[in-house]
Amino acid sequence: MKRPKTSRAWWLDRHVHDPFVKLAQKEGYRSRAAYKLLWLTEKDHLLKPGMTVVDLGAAPGGWCQVAARKVGEKGRVIGIDLLPVEPIPGVTLFQADFTSDEGLALVENALDGKKADLVLSDMAPNLSGVKDADQAKHYVLAELALEFAVQWLKPDGAFVVKVFQGAGFEDFVRQARQVFRQVNVRKPDASRDESRENFLVAKGLKV
């Protein structure tokens, strides 16, 4: 009788055989998440040369890599995460807590009073295993990212944030629609079918 795999063994097996993991290794991206942003960029025309981009929750750096390649030498990419991120050419990185006053100040000072063209948030809380509590913590982070985007985006800028179906989802989408003229919920090809993960793409500040 075949021994059933443990959950960790199953995860490792899936990870090793994941086509986006293999593609990331081949193309030099640090994570399969890079293909989520590439898909969103193609779908919603998010990244162009010369843009200023802020990446909240940047580790391990896949989204920063995509952004840096797209905005080019005339653009700017600023990333922040609690976890360390190995240096990326053309990217200003901070290891700090974005939710703290100190972390927020680091990003704001790096912007030097200039507004961003794109704010990205792939932030996620440390999981406790309690679904409702983890969902609530996630939307606290999403709301902080939304507040930052409203304050620091150019009027025609865009905001991308990871969201999860379930408690808090509809309320958050409603909040975003109060301040952005266009709000869409996307599920990139690189998001696994069984995942409740989606990405909200918002454009055009109303305020």
Side-chain angles (χ1 to χ4, degrees):
M1 183 176 177
K2 188 175 180 180
R3 175 182 289 182
K5 292 181 179 179
T6 64
S7 59
R8 177 161 178 78
W10 173 83
W11 183 90
L12 287 171
D13 182 70
R14 182 181 66 169
H15 184 76
V16 168
H17 293 93
D18 188 309
F20 288 105
V21 171
K22 293 180 179 179
L23 192 59
Q25 293 168 347
K26 179 181 178 181
E27 297 186 343
Y29 289 115
R30 296 182 181 179
S31 69
R32 68 190 304 282
Y35 296 98
K36 300 173 186 178
L37 182 56
L38 285 167
W39 186 92
L40 291 166
T41 293
E42 184 175 348
K43 183 80 172 176
D44 292 288
H45 312 291
L46 296 173
L47 288 164
K48 297 177 183 177
M51 280 186 163
T52 296
V53 180
V54 177
D55 184 4
L56 309 175
W63 279 22
C64 283
Q65 286 180 298
V66 170
R69 293 181 188 186
K70 294 288 187 181
V71 303
E73 293 182 0
K74 293 183 178 181
R76 291 193 66 206
V77 180
I78 300 164
I80 185 170
D81 201 288
L82 274 169
L83 299 174
V85 181
E86 289 295 317
I88 300 169
V91 180
T92 301
L93 291 165
F94 299 108
Q95 183 180 357
D97 182 0
F98 170 73
T99 68
S100 70
D101 291 341
E102 295 78 9
L104 176 61
L106 287 171
V107 178
E108 291 180 336
N109 290 338
L111 284 167
D112 195 26
K114 298 175 183 177
K115 296 294 181 88
D117 297 283
L118 177 63
V119 172
L120 306 170
S121 176
D122 198 23
M123 288 192 293
N126 292 324
L127 299 180
S128 66
V130 180
K131 182 179 176 181
D132 290 346
D134 290 337
Q135 184 85 347
K137 290 176 184 176
H138 172 80
Y139 278 106
V140 169
L141 295 177
E143 287 172 1
L144 288 173
L146 177 61
E147 289 176 9
F148 177 85
V150 169
Q151 182 176 357
W152 284 98
L153 272 179
K154 294 177 181 178
D156 60 348
F159 173 52
V160 177
V161 59
K162 179 161 63 180
V163 292
F164 289 96
Q165 295 282 353
F169 174 78
E170 295 295 342
D171 286 342
F172 184 75
V173 172
R174 193 157 38 246
Q175 288 180 53
R177 286 182 171 149
Q178 288 174 355
V179 290
F180 285 94
R181 293 191 297 272
Q182 179 183 343
V183 176
N184 293 297
V185 178
R186 309 290 195 199
K187 190 173 181 69
D189 292 342
S191 290
R192 294 189 170 104
D193 292 340
E194 70 274 16
S195 173
R196 294 181 296 115
E197 173 190 84
N198 288 273
F199 291 89
L200 183 148
V201 180
K203 290 183 175 184
L205 283 168
K206 293 180 180 179
V207 291

